[in-house]
Amino acid sequence: MKFFFSSSFLLVFTICIIGCVNLVYTAPTKIGNGYSLIAIEESPDGGLIGYLKVKKKNNIYGPDIPNLQLYVKHETDNRLRIHITDADKQRWEVPYNLLPRESPPSLKQTIGKSRKGQFSLLSNQEYSGNELMFSYTSDPFSFSVKRKSNGQTLFNSSSEDSDPYSNLVFKDQYLEISTKLPKDASLYGLGENTQPHGIKIYPNDPYTLYTTDQSSINLNMDLYGSHPMYMDLRNVNGEAYAHAVLLMNSNGMDVFYRGDSLTYKVIGGVLDFYFFSGPTPLAVVDQYTDFIGRPAPMPYWSFGFHQCRWGYHNLSVIEDVIANYKKAKIPLDVIWNDDDHMDGKKDFTLHPINYPGPKLRAFLEKIHAEGMHYIVINDPGIGVNKSYGTYQRGLANDVFIKYEGKPFLAQVWPGAVHFPDFLNPKTVEWWGDEIRRFHELAPIDGLWIDMNEVSNFCNGLCTIPEGRICPNGTGPGWICCLDCKNVTKTKWDDPPYKINASGIQAPIGYKTIATSATHYNGVREYDAHSLYGFSETIATHKGLQAIEGKRPFILTRATFVGSGHYAAHWTGDNKGTWEDLKYSISTVLNFGIFGVPMVGSDICGFYPAAPPLEELCNRWIQVGAFYPFSRDHANYYSPRQELYQWKSVTKSSRNALGMRYKLLPYLYTLSYEAHKTGAPIVRPLFFTFPNIPELYELSTQFLVGSNVMVSPVLEKAKTKVSALFPPGTWYSLFDMTQVIVTKEPHYRSLDAPLHVVNVHLYQNTILPMQRGGMLTKEARMTPFTIIVAFPLGASEGVAKGNLFLDDDELPEMKLGNGKSTYMDFHATTSNGTVKIWSEVQESKYALDKGWYIEKVTVLGLNGIGGAFDILVDGSKVEDTSKLEFETEEHKFIDKLEEGGHKKSMMLDIKGLELPIGKNFAMSWKMGI
C-alpha cells in the first residue's frame, strides 16, 4: 500500500522549494592513481592473499584508505571470489549470519612479511580454477577474470588514460571499480528498477541501488529492492556463453553502464565480488542460488488466484467479493486484507467493529473448510501507544532501532512509530511471539510485509507534538505531522558522494530512517539500510514456521540478495496503464534471475488511471494468469476492479485463469525445480534458446518453464499480436490442432480477439495437466492429462517432462519424506513406433492420493496405427476395451517457409486409468 502521488514527485517538489540540492547530475572526473600490489602469496585455504598500497593520496570524497587486503579464492568449480577490504581495520560487510558464506582470512594474517619491508610476489600472475582464471597486474593494481574454455575476458578492472573511469578507489565512504566490456555483451539485472527499454540493461540509463519506498511507476530509479548482480550473455561465433557477477555489498551505490564498460560507485562497505561461470543462463541461476540460497518452497494454494484491495472496509465486503467470484465462475483461492482489518492501523490487531475477532474466526473456519486461504498486511512500524501490547512488549525487550540511545521515532500509517531492529536476536524472538499471538486471534495463512525499505512519512529527528493529535484523522494519512528537524550533522547523514537516489541525488535519509541511527551492536543504518526488508523477511519466516510447522507464505516488497530463499515478491505500486502492463514483464523476468521466482505485478494496476480500465484489465489478466504469483490489487482511491466487475473481463478471466488452473501441476513442478536448482518459473526466451541473439532483448513475450510461450497483447485496441517464434514446432495450448513450424526465428501475426491470449507449447515436451477448477484444492484432485509434443511429422523424435507432487504443508519440498512423489515422462517416435513411458520415484504418496492419468494427447504424429500395448509396473494391461482413440488433423496458422508438410495428426487416447505413482509404458505402430 502507498499514497497516491509518486514519492519522487513529492520529493522533487520539496527539494525544489528548499533549494538544497542541485538537480543536474554530473559524474565526477577520474579520482586518484589506484593502488600497487606489493605482496601476494597463497593463503592457508588454497586461495591468494595480497597486500595493496595506495599510490598517491587525495581527498576527493575523503582520504584514501592507505593499505588494502586482497583475497582471491576459487570457492567451487564454477564460483570465484575476489574480496578487497581495509588491511588495518575491520569494515562493514553484509552480516555472515544473515547471508551465510565463507569468511575471508583475518586481517591479522601476515602477508609475506610485507609489514617488515620484505615483500613477496608470486612468479605466476595467474590463478586458475576449473572454469575461471584470475590474473593481475601489480602497478597500478588491476585484475581480470577469464573463462578458461575460450579465453574470453569476463571482467577487467584496468583503466587506461583514455577511459572515462578510474583505477581502483577505496575510501571510507567511496569505493570505485570498473570493468571493460565488449559492446555486444547483453547485460541483465542490477535491480530493482522499472526499465522502460525492456529486460536488457540499457547504456547510460541510471542504475542506483538503495531500497526506497518509491512507486514502480517511476522509471529508471532506485525502487524497493537492492540486487547488485548482473548476468552477462555473449554470443561467440553463434554459441552463447553466460556468466554472472555479484557485488556482495548492502551500501547505496550507483552503477554506470556505458555499453563498453561498467563502473561501481559505492558509499561504503567492501568490494566483495563473486563470479559465476555459467555457461548457460540456467547454469548461472543455478550457481547463483546455490550460493545465496535456493528459492523458498511455496504452498500449492499460493499458485491459485489472489484478490486484494486497500479499502475492503469490513468483513461483509470480503464475503461479498468471494460470493461474486463464485457467481462469476472465476477461480479464487486467496482473499487478502490491506490494513482495513487493523485497529487504528496497528500491526497484530483487529478492528473491533469492522473485523471483530469472533466473526473473523468463524469466517476463516468456513473458507478454510472450502480450501480457501487468507493473508493480511503487516508494516514494520510499531505504533507508539501505551495501551498497545505489541509496543509495550517491544519496549520491554528493547527491540527498536535507536538514535542517540533512544528508539528512533518515525511516522507511518498508525502515526508515530518505532521500527524493530531485526539484526537483534531478541527482536526476532519478540517478532515471532507477536506473530504467534496474532495467529491465535486470527489464524491467517501467510503474511504480507510491506513498507519495509523502510518507509517513513517524515524526515530527520522527530518528536510527538504537544497539544495536537497526530495524525488527526482528516486528510491523507501520509502527510508528516510530527515535529521534525533535519539530521545532517554527521558524515553518515550527509556522505561526500551523493548517489543518484530517486533520480535527483536525494538525501539518503529522505523519507526513511536517519542513516546515523544505530542497530544492534552499533551497526549504522547507513550500512544496513538495504538489509531491512531482508532481515524482516527472515524473522517473519522463522515466526510463521514456528506456529504450526507448516510451509510459510510471505510476500515482501523490499528485497535483497537472498530474499527469494524466504519469500515471494510483487513489483510494488504500479498503475493501470498499458505501459505498466508492459513494464511488468521485464521486472518479473529480472526477479527470476535474482533468485526470486515467485513474483508478480498488481493485475489491472494499483493506482487508478483515467477510465476506461475494462480493455486493459482484459489484457492484464491474460498476462497475470501466467505470472508465478497472480494477484489483483487496487488502491483505496481506485474504482473497483475485481475481475467480475465487467462481463468481458469475466470471460477473459475464465479463459486465462482456467488454463492456469489446468497447468497447476506444471507450475508446481516448476516451483520444485526452482527450489532445487533456482530455475526461474517464468523466464526470458533466451533461457531455452540462448544461441539466438534476436531473443536477447525480447521483453514482450516470456516462457513459463522451458517450453510454454506466452505472447500477450500489450497495446490498446489491438486484436492481433506479432510474436517471435524460435525455430521448431509450436502448438497452440488452447487449440492443440493449431501449429506453427519455422526453421529460423520469425515473427508471426497471431489473431488475438479481446478474450484470447496466445500460448504455445514447444516440441520435445511432455506437459502434465489436470481438469482445473475453481479452487486449487479441487483442481488438484482431478485426473491428469499428459500432453506429448513431438516435432511436427517427425519420423524420429523425443519428448520429456516431469511431475512433482507432495504434501504442500510440509516445510521442506523434497523427496525421501514419505509425503512426495516424482515422475519423469519420456516419449520417442522412431522407425514407425511411438513409445511413452514413466519412471517413478517415491510412489507411495501419489498412490495413497489416488491420482491417475485419464488421457494422453500426442501431437505431431505423421500417422496412427494399431498394435497398442500398455504395461503398468511391467504387467500388460489386457483389457483395453474402454479406451477411445480420437484423431484430428493439425491446422497450420500460416504458410510454412519451404513448401508444405504431409498431413500430421493429434491423437487423444481416452479412458485410461494409469495410476500416478506406478511406472507405465505404452507403445504402438504408426500407420499411414
Side-chain angles (χ1 to χ4, degrees):
M1 163 195 350
K2 192 160 181 289
F3 44 85
F4 175 77
F5 298 106
S6 75
S7 59
S8 65
F9 170 84
L10 295 174
L11 181 54
V12 170
F13 180 75
T14 304
I15 289 176
C16 287
I17 287 177
I18 62 177
C20 63
V21 173
N22 177 6
L23 298 185
V24 178
Y25 184 65
T26 57
T29 55
K30 287 193 176 187
I31 302 167
N33 298 289
Y35 286 75
S36 296
L37 177 69
I38 62 172
I40 188 168
E41 63 186 29
E42 289 189 20
S43 59
D45 62 359
L48 298 180
I49 190 161
Y51 181 51
L52 306 174
K53 202 168 188 65
V54 69
K55 285 176 66 68
K56 184 179 180 180
K57 295 181 180 179
N58 68 68
N59 288 312
I60 303 172
Y61 302 135
D64 296 281
I65 292 177
N67 305 311
L68 301 179
Q69 176 178 285
L70 166 71
Y71 172 65
V72 185
K73 186 182 180 186
H74 292 281
E75 293 189 333
T76 69
D77 286 347
N78 48 48
R79 183 173 78 234
L80 170 67
R81 183 185 193 181
I82 300 174
H83 182 279
I84 303 173
T85 188
D86 188 335
D88 301 311
K89 190 167 66 174
Q90 194 75 38
R91 288 182 62 80
W92 163 259
E93 298 189 45
V94 175
Y96 284 78
N97 63 335
L98 206 64
L99 215 162
R101 57 203 191 279
E102 292 182 26
S103 296
S106 166
L107 298 178
K108 295 181 180 179
Q109 181 166 339
T110 301
I111 307 171
K113 300 182 180 180
S114 59
R115 312 277 177 147
K116 298 180 181 180
Q118 300 177 23
F119 308 131
S120 65
L121 287 171
L122 296 176
S123 57
N124 186 358
Q125 294 184 327
E126 293 182 347
Y127 170 52
S128 190
N130 241 37
E131 302 291 339
L132 299 173
M133 183 169 63
F134 168 85
S135 61
Y136 63 87
T137 300
S138 298
D139 191 14
F141 170 74
S142 67
F143 68 85
S144 66
V145 177
K146 294 183 179 181
R147 187 184 299 281
K148 282 183 66 176
S149 62
N150 61 9
Q152 190 172 57
T153 299
L154 310 185
F155 198 96
N156 177 1
S157 72
S158 65
S159 172
E160 313 300 330
D161 291 341
S162 59
D163 290 328
Y165 47 85
S166 305
N167 277 300
L168 172 65
V169 180
F170 206 116
K171 301 167 185 282
D172 189 28
Q173 290 183 270
Y174 182 79
L175 287 61
E176 180 182 331
I177 193 168
S178 302
T179 178
K180 303 177 191 299
L181 291 168
K183 289 186 176 181
D184 60 352
S186 295
L187 270 57
Y188 311 87
L190 295 178
E192 178 180 5
N193 57 19
T194 300
Q195 299 174 194
H197 298 106
I199 187 174
K200 271 180 66 172
I201 295 174
Y202 198 76
N204 303 314
D205 273 355
Y207 293 90
T208 298
L209 279 62
Y210 190 72
T211 60
T212 305
D213 175 9
Q214 183 164 241
S215 304
S216 59
I217 63 176
N218 294 286
L219 308 181
N220 288 328
M221 294 187 193
D222 42 312
L223 297 181
Y224 312 109
S226 177
H227 294 270
M229 171 268 196
Y230 69 86
M231 182 169 70
D232 181 335
L233 178 62
R234 305 178 189 180
N235 195 291
V236 182
N237 299 321
E239 187 172 358
Y241 292 88
H243 68 275
V245 180
L246 166 68
L247 174 57
M248 183 64 80
N249 185 299
S250 62
N251 290 82
M253 69 180 76
D254 289 330
V255 186
F256 295 90
Y257 175 55
R258 301 175 185 86
D260 59 1
S261 67
L262 187 106
T263 297
Y264 298 87
K265 299 187 177 186
V266 193
I267 60 172
V270 302
L271 296 176
D272 192 6
F273 283 103
Y274 293 85
F275 298 86
F276 305 89
S277 66
T280 66
L282 274 176
V284 163
V285 181
D286 184 4
Q287 294 154 15
Y288 182 62
T289 57
D290 180 55
F291 174 61
I292 66 169
R294 296 297 194 192
M298 294 288 160
Y300 199 91
W301 54 262
S302 67
F303 290 93
F305 184 67
H306 303 243
Q307 178 61 53
C308 184
R309 177 183 173 84
W310 179 23
Y312 287 151
H313 298 296
N314 55 50
L315 188 56
S316 64
V317 177
I318 292 274
E319 292 173 319
D320 185 60
V321 169
I322 294 173
N324 281 321
Y325 266 96
K326 289 179 179 177
K327 183 179 178 181
K329 293 183 170 54
I330 301 172
L332 178 66
D333 259 82
V334 191
I335 192 75
W336 294 57
N337 263 129
D338 209 310
D339 66 8
D340 302 288
H341 68 286
M342 297 179 181
D343 181 12
K345 304 187 186 300
K346 299 189 298 291
D347 285 347
F348 307 118
T349 65
L350 295 176
H351 195 285
I353 298 172
N354 297 334
Y355 285 86
K359 286 188 176 180
L360 180 61
R361 287 189 289 276
F363 163 77
L364 292 180
E365 186 176 356
K366 176 185 175 184
I367 68 166
H368 284 157
E370 294 173 356
M372 286 191 67
H373 294 81
Y374 175 65
I375 294 174
V376 298
I377 199 169
N378 225 42
D379 295 337
I382 301 299
V384 176
N385 187 319
K386 291 181 180 178
S387 63
Y388 176 30
T390 297
Y391 169 70
Q392 290 298 331
R393 289 185 290 272
L395 276 183
N397 284 282
D398 193 24
V399 302
F400 298 119
I401 291 171
K402 301 278 183 36
Y403 189 89
E404 295 182 345
K406 296 179 181 179
F408 178 78
L409 190 73
Q411 181 189 329
V412 201
W413 299 113
V417 299
H418 296 323
F419 291 118
D421 174 13
F422 292 103
L423 299 183
N424 185 343
K426 285 173 62 177
T427 307
V428 177
E429 291 180 17
W430 161 82
W431 188 252
D433 186 58
E434 296 303 322
I435 292 173
R436 178 192 60 78
R437 290 170 182 267
F438 183 66
H439 192 269
E440 291 174 356
L441 190 65
I444 55 169
D445 299 293
L447 277 174
W448 169 20
I449 51 178
D450 192 12
M451 308 287 283
N452 51 351
E453 292 75 28
V454 162
S455 178
N456 179 3
F457 298 160
C458 298
N459 288 305
L461 189 60
C462 303
T463 57
I464 298 174
E466 295 182 9
R468 58 184 167 88
I469 299 173
C470 168
N472 60 16
T474 63
W478 56 81
I479 302 300
C480 180
C481 57
L482 301 177
D483 289 336
C484 304
K485 61 180 181 180
N486 285 336
V487 181
T488 57
K489 63 184 179 182
T490 76
K491 63 180 183 177
W492 312 116
D493 300 296
D494 187 22
Y497 176 77
K498 310 295 189 261
I499 61 171
N500 197 28
S502 300
I504 52 172
Q505 299 182 49
I508 57 174
Y510 182 83
K511 291 298 180 78
T512 188
I513 299 169
T515 43
S516 53
T518 53
H519 294 251
Y520 180 67
N521 276 347
V523 170
R524 282 183 293 268
E525 169 68 10
Y526 179 90
D527 293 315
H529 170 85
S530 290
L531 294 175
Y532 192 91
F534 181 45
S535 61
E536 184 197 15
T537 301
I538 295 172
T540 304
H541 187 276
K542 184 176 181 180
L544 279 174
Q545 190 164 295
I547 295 171
E548 295 177 318
K550 291 183 179 180
R551 188 177 300 176
F553 180 83
I554 302 162
L555 184 72
T556 180
R557 192 168 73 177
T559 60
F560 187 71
V561 175
S563 285
H565 188 56
Y566 303 95
H569 173 65
W570 91 109
T571 64
D573 298 335
N574 60 4
K575 193 172 183 177
T577 70
W578 293 93
E579 291 79 12
D580 282 75
L581 168 58
K582 184 177 180 180
Y583 300 153
S584 75
I585 295 175
S586 294
T587 308
V588 166
L589 294 178
N590 259 325
F591 269 87
I593 295 171
F594 294 149
V596 190
M598 191 62 166
V599 59
S601 290
D602 285 345
I603 294 170
C604 301
F606 176 70
Y607 291 140
L613 185 64
E614 184 175 350
E615 183 190 356
L616 174 65
C617 216
N618 270 279
R619 295 309 190 184
W620 210 319
I621 188 56
Q622 292 167 7
V623 176
F626 299 96
Y627 293 152
F629 171 65
S630 184
R631 184 184 72 159
D632 181 327
H633 179 40
N635 183 279
Y636 188 93
Y637 300 98
S638 299
R640 294 291 289 265
Q641 65 182 46
E642 292 85 4
L643 300 178
Y644 54 76
Q645 295 290 341
W646 306 273
K647 287 184 179 179
S648 68
V649 179
T650 296
K651 184 175 180 180
S652 291
S653 302
R654 289 174 185 161
N655 190 40
L657 288 174
M659 180 57 72
R660 179 187 181 90
Y661 274 60
K662 291 176 182 177
L663 288 172
L664 282 170
Y666 178 62
L667 287 170
Y668 194 65
T669 300
L670 290 175
S671 79
Y672 172 70
E673 291 180 357
H675 180 56
K676 300 300 288 184
T677 70
I681 297 171
V682 165
R683 57 192 79 161
L685 270 67
F686 66 74
F687 266 65
T688 295
F689 306 97
N691 295 332
I692 304 177
E694 295 96 318
L695 303 178
Y696 290 2
E697 55 186 310
L698 183 64
S699 306
T700 54
Q701 298 167 245
F702 57 90
L703 292 173
V704 182
S706 295
N707 299 310
V708 174
M709 183 172 71
V710 182
S711 306
V713 172
L714 302 173
E715 297 177 75
K716 183 177 175 63
K718 299 289 186 182
T719 56
K720 288 185 177 291
V721 62
S722 180
L724 181 56
F725 283 84
T729 304
W730 295 88
Y731 300 94
S732 170
L733 205 54
F734 285 93
D735 179 0
M736 285 179 271
T737 63
Q738 293 192 8
V739 62
I740 286 179
V741 181
T742 178
K743 293 185 177 180
E744 299 292 335
H746 278 307
Y747 278 95
R748 291 285 187 269
S749 179
L750 305 175
D751 288 331
L754 183 61
H755 308 300
V756 170
V757 57
N758 281 278
V759 183
H760 288 85
L761 177 65
Y762 191 55
Q763 65 185 37
N764 308 328
T765 305
I766 300 180
L767 181 71
M769 299 176 70
Q770 287 174 282
R771 291 181 183 177
M774 294 296 104
L775 286 163
T776 57
K777 180 182 179 181
E778 65 181 52
R780 194 177 194 196
M781 296 313 298
T782 61
F784 282 78
T785 293
I786 303 301
I787 313 296
V788 180
F790 287 123
L792 189 76
S795 57
E796 301 285 330
V798 297
K800 61 182 180 179
N802 53 9
L803 174 66
F804 177 80
L805 301 161
D806 75 344
D807 178 348
D808 67 315
E809 290 193 341
L810 293 176
E812 295 289 333
M813 192 180 203
K814 64 180 183 180
L815 293 171
N817 55 15
K819 295 291 185 72
S820 55
T821 294
Y822 182 86
M823 293 184 76
D824 279 309
F825 298 109
H826 303 273
T828 61
T829 175
S830 179
N831 298 320
T833 300
V834 177
K835 295 180 180 179
I836 303 170
W837 71 98
S838 68
E839 296 173 348
V840 181
Q841 299 179 50
E842 310 278 340
S843 63
K844 183 178 184 301
Y845 177 70
L847 292 173
D848 289 346
K849 288 291 183 181
W851 282 307
Y852 66 93
I853 297 168
E854 64 174 350
K855 183 171 76 168
V856 171
T857 297
V858 188
L859 308 177
L861 295 175
N862 59 18
I864 58 170
F868 185 84
D869 289 320
I870 303 178
L871 284 79
V872 175
D873 275 352
S875 299
K876 185 174 180 178
V877 177
E878 300 293 345
D879 183 7
T880 59
S881 60
K882 294 180 180 179
L883 299 186
E884 299 177 29
F885 298 84
E886 295 181 2
T887 61
E888 192 169 352
E889 194 173 320
H890 285 298
K891 301 183 288 286
F892 301 105
I893 293 176
D894 59 3
K895 292 182 180 179
L896 300 177
E897 290 166 324
E898 297 179 10
H901 283 271
K902 59 184 178 181
K903 290 182 180 179
S904 294
M905 307 275 188
M906 178 180 81
L907 170 65
D908 281 334
I909 307 170
K910 299 180 179 179
L912 295 166
E913 293 182 359
L914 301 174
I916 297 282
K918 289 189 177 183
N919 291 320
F920 73 83
M922 60 176 65
S923 63
W924 66 92
K925 289 282 186 182
M926 283 192 292
I928 301 299

